[in-house]
Amino acid sequence: MIATAHDRIAMPPAATQLGWHLLDARPGEGWIKIGFEGKPEVCNPAGFVQGGILAAMLDDTMGPAVFAMTEGRLYTATISLTVNFLAPARPGRFIGEARLTQLGKTVAFIEGRLTAKGGTLLATATTNARMVEAGKALR
């Protein structure tokens, strides 16, 4: 496993709830791959993982791409998040991938995708995120 800036910080409670775990990263390219666990207790009445949880997984994939790329110097605060839900998500393991598309002076533009373990594309997303010095944002 590649070492990233994520190894130097404690796991946030929200990431723990989502089952967040780093699978792979290419920090120099602004790319990251994160594993998640879609738990039965976050399902809607139809038995699918609720869309807001999938959006949170995508959000918690895209921001970490910037954190890893900047070697932990910059933390992201989401300005906007657009999610397209493409398939229902049964409980289970999911994989989030994100790629930084542009890193400006104060705003990052990132694309993400979330797939089921078998490869079904569940959702895609784009985000604009304000970059904040990590020392000011993280406790």
Side-chain angles (χ1 to χ4, degrees):
M1 171 88 66
I2 187 166
T4 71
H6 296 282
D7 299 327
R8 299 189 306 264
I9 62 170
M11 180 76 66
T16 300
Q17 286 290 84
L18 295 173
W20 192 103
H21 56 282
L22 180 65
L23 296 173
D24 197 4
R26 293 192 295 268
E29 298 175 27
W31 176 85
I32 200 163
K33 186 176 188 179
I34 308 293
F36 295 98
E37 185 66 33
K39 301 172 186 170
E41 55 267 25
V42 295
C43 287
N44 61 27
F48 300 112
V49 175
Q50 199 268 343
I53 301 299
L54 301 177
M57 290 175 180
L58 283 160
D59 191 41
D60 217 2
T61 301
M62 293 183 289
V66 173
F67 190 76
M69 183 180 193
T70 63
E71 298 177 353
R73 290 187 311 274
L74 297 174
Y75 177 82
T76 56
T78 302
I79 297 170
S80 68
L81 174 66
T82 301
V83 180
N84 299 297
F85 300 102
L86 305 173
R90 296 244 178 244
R93 295 180 187 251
F94 305 135
I95 296 171
E97 291 183 64
R99 180 175 308 281
L100 181 68
T101 55
Q102 185 173 357
L103 186 65
K105 290 184 179 183
T106 58
V107 177
F109 299 85
I110 314 152
E111 298 175 337
R113 54 189 285 128
L114 188 69
T115 57
K117 188 176 179 187
T120 300
L121 183 60
L122 301 171
T124 61
T126 56
T127 191
N128 304 320
R130 174 138 338 263
M131 294 180 297
V132 180
E133 289 179 38
K136 293 180 180 178
L138 302 176
R139 300 183 236 172

